[in-house]
Amino acid sequence: MARDPDTIQREIDQARDALAATLDQLGTKASPKRMVDNAKSSARSKLDEPKVKYALIGVGVLVGLLVIRGIFR
């Protein structure tokens, strides 16, 4: 059974629109700027956790003390 050319064209247009929408979504998800912003936000929230923050402060103090000890030896 032959299909109507108008129906075929309408299906092609719908498929094209769906593909364009999918490509737009992929472009948004894979945006380098968005990925960098997400990474910054994630790192910032991780560093704001008290156990991470205080551990980093402790490591910084230890390194500082070792540097000062090395200078005065």
Side-chain angles (χ1 to χ4, degrees), residues 35-45:
M35 293 172 96
V36 167
D37 290 342
N38 286 345
K40 281 183 187 178
S41 174
S42 176
R44 216 173 255 139
S45 68

Side-chain angles (χ1 to χ4, degrees), residues 39-71:
K40 281 183 187 178
S41 174
S42 176
R44 216 173 255 139
S45 68
K46 189 68 173 173
L47 290 174
D48 283 341
E49 292 180 13
K51 69 179 185 178
V52 174
K53 183 188 293 187
Y54 296 132
L56 288 175
I57 290 171
V59 168
V61 168
L62 180 62
V63 168
L65 290 173
L66 291 174
V67 168
I68 290 172
R69 182 177 170 203
I71 291 173

